[in-house]
Amino acid sequence: MSQIISNQLHQRLLLTAAAVGMFLDGLDGSIVTIILPQISESFNTDTGTASWVIITYLLMMAGLILIIGKIAERGHIRKIFLLGLCVFTAGSAACGIAPDLEILLAARILQGIGAAMLAATASLLCVTYLPKDMYGMAFGAISMSVSVGVATGPAIGGFIAQYFSWHWAFLMNVPVGILILAFGMYIIPPDIPREIQPFDLYGSILLFGLMVSCVYCLERISHLGISDLQILLSGSISIACLIAFYIRERMCHILLIHIRVFSVMNFTATLLAFLIYGCVSMGIFYLLPFFLQAGMAYDPAMAGLFLLIPPLITAIIGIPVGRWSDLIGRRPFAIAAAVLSIAASGIFMIIIPETGFIPLIFGLLIMGLFMGCFGGPVASRVVENAPPGEEGTGTSLMVTAVYLGSVLGTALFATFFTLGSAETGISAFSDLDPEKFLHGFHLSMTAGFILSVLALILSVIVREKKTRENSVRI
């Protein structure tokens, strides 16, 4: 029995619910970065300890998306999406009223679990209930929502921190979450009961350990250094979990992830290109605020206004580009995204404060076009190139690549910045000598340029699929 929604209004309302959920995900992943100093001061702790407010959220997201996605595929998409809204909203309220750092971290774990439930099911809602010729528009809307949430988080957080208190950065999610919950209960079709299937608990534990230890290692390596015991231990755990998970999936009859999906060259190439796009975009956005303030000497408010340019462009073109890719194919936009990524990295690779704000605006405009091109079309391309019957797995891996790419981009660009600036840490960018700062900034952008070239190659070698189905079943 087909689950595809034919009513166009109902299709758009369903997409709206999924997109708003992903906006909240992206917003709360980035809004905390700007309010960490206030949180640190409020609880009388150092910024290193306060950074766990970010880390705990990312760990839950990365560790649970794939697992929750596999559970949702068994006929529980609506239940998990709505439950995710409840958990996320409750976690946000707990964060907003947390009396100490320990309770705040526990609340962030709860919030991260809810966010993982939303992220795992938002794309599955599209794959399950929307026709395949809407994938580009649907994933474009979701990608636009995440990008706008991530990019506007620091600006919104800065405003809240300056005029209110950091608590409202979390409390503002509560009324939005309640409204979307009521909306989702009305608009999302009931789950269709499916045959009860066994679940690979041991594989799930190994996968969770792999993702959590890998993300922790990547996030902390630029802070602690590659020789630190925590990095060596977390890296060793991730490798051990990877080997054990691979063996488990090869021997077990109840598969959590069909390893064979990675044997399909087109799928692996498009997934890797998508991961690179997320890595480069997040890496650039990670360093740009420091360039604007330490390099260009803009105050935080002005820097925030500049950083709103890319998400504004993405918001304008995201859905039209996705709809266009539904009509003419994904490949041209995947290649265009790579070219735009190369151009943006190239501009920031040579930009200096003396050139003024015109090259900066030009680079930010290209970033917005880049994010608008890779979001919907490339995300759809990943799902379409998944092996037959594995669209759900492809969707879960695609969503995981979004967050893993963000962590990887932050860690990679921070590491190259550290190498280029010849400094031992990254916590005091604004205190660096301007020449050293620019050298580190340009070296990081050079890494982004090289990665973008690799993404271009991967995008070119994968040909457009010749046929398109009008619907898909999970």
Side-chain angles (χ1 to χ4, degrees), residues 185-205:
M185 292 176 66
Y186 170 75
I187 204 65
I188 300 174
D191 291 321
I192 295 180
R194 303 189 182 186
E195 181 181 352
I196 297 177
Q197 300 176 350
F199 186 73
D200 184 8
L201 178 61
Y202 294 110
S204 300
I205 294 172

Side-chain angles (χ1 to χ4, degrees), residues 33-358:
T33 57
I34 201 72
I35 62 174
L36 271 186
Q38 286 75 24
I39 292 176
S40 177
E41 182 179 356
S42 177
F43 295 132
N44 193 28
T45 186
D46 60 275
T47 54
T49 302
S51 67
W52 278 93
V53 177
I54 297 175
I55 298 172
T56 50
Y57 185 86
L58 291 175
L59 291 181
M60 292 301 103
M61 289 286 291
L64 292 174
I65 284 177
L66 276 172
I67 298 171
I68 293 174
K70 296 304 291 185
I71 297 174
E73 287 177 41
R74 288 165 161 78
H76 307 294
I77 298 176
R78 182 180 189 269
K79 294 185 188 72
I80 292 178
F81 182 83
L82 296 178
L83 180 60
L85 279 170
C86 293
V87 173
F88 180 85
T89 303
S92 298
C95 287
I97 62 175
D100 54 50
L101 183 61
E102 289 75 16
I103 293 180
L104 176 60
L105 293 179
R108 280 291 277 180
I109 290 175
L110 183 65
Q111 191 185 37
I113 293 172
M117 297 170 76
L118 293 175
T121 52
S123 295
L124 283 176
L125 286 173
C126 300
V127 173
T128 305
Y129 297 116
L130 299 181
K132 199 168 185 179
D133 59 9
M134 282 187 65
Y135 277 14
M137 184 185 74
F139 286 127
I142 288 178
S143 176
M144 175 199 70
S145 300
V146 176
S147 299
V148 171
V150 169
T152 57
I156 295 174
F159 177 83
I160 291 173
Q162 183 169 351
Y163 295 104
F164 300 97
S165 73
W166 62 265
H167 305 80
W168 287 102
F170 300 109
L171 292 175
M172 70 176 186
N173 294 328
V174 176
V176 179
I178 293 173
L179 287 174
I180 297 303
L181 176 63
F183 182 70
M185 292 176 66
Y186 170 75
I187 204 65
I188 300 174
D191 291 321
I192 295 180
R194 303 189 182 186
E195 181 181 352
I196 297 177
Q197 300 176 350
F199 186 73
D200 184 8
L201 178 61
Y202 294 110
S204 300
I205 294 172
L206 289 172
L207 181 60
F208 181 79
L210 166 63
M211 297 303 297
V212 167
S213 57
C214 180
V215 168
Y216 179 82
C217 181
L218 292 173
E219 203 283 333
R220 300 305 292 170
I221 191 170
S222 56
H223 296 263
L224 304 176
I226 195 170
S227 61
D228 186 86
L229 180 60
Q230 293 184 42
I231 300 302
L232 296 175
L233 182 60
S234 59
S236 300
I237 292 174
S238 65
I239 293 173
C241 288
L242 174 62
I243 295 172
F245 179 74
Y246 177 79
I247 295 173
R248 172 75 181 179
E249 293 300 294
R250 296 288 292 182
M251 298 177 61
C252 184
H253 297 294
I254 308 167
L255 297 179
L256 187 65
I257 296 177
H258 290 276
I259 301 296
R260 68 182 179 89
V261 300
F262 296 106
S263 66
V264 179
M265 189 274 289
N266 284 358
F267 174 76
T268 302
T270 53
L271 181 64
L272 182 57
F274 188 74
L275 178 71
I276 291 174
Y277 292 140
C279 175
V280 173
S281 62
M282 187 61 187
I284 291 176
F285 272 115
Y286 171 68
L287 286 180
L288 270 180
F290 298 101
F291 174 76
L292 292 172
Q293 296 182 63
M296 301 291 288
Y298 291 129
D299 58 47
M302 182 60 69
L305 289 176
F306 275 107
L307 291 175
L308 286 176
I309 293 176
L312 178 62
I313 298 299
T314 303
I316 293 172
I317 72 169
I319 294 179
V321 165
R323 185 182 292 114
W324 195 9
S325 76
D326 288 330
L327 300 175
I328 69 173
R330 322 292 187 196
R331 188 168 181 261
F333 296 95
I335 295 173
V339 172
L340 290 167
S341 181
I342 291 171
S345 300
I347 290 175
F348 294 127
M349 193 168 66
I350 60 175
I351 194 172
I352 57 175
E354 288 75 15
T355 57
F357 65 87
I358 294 180

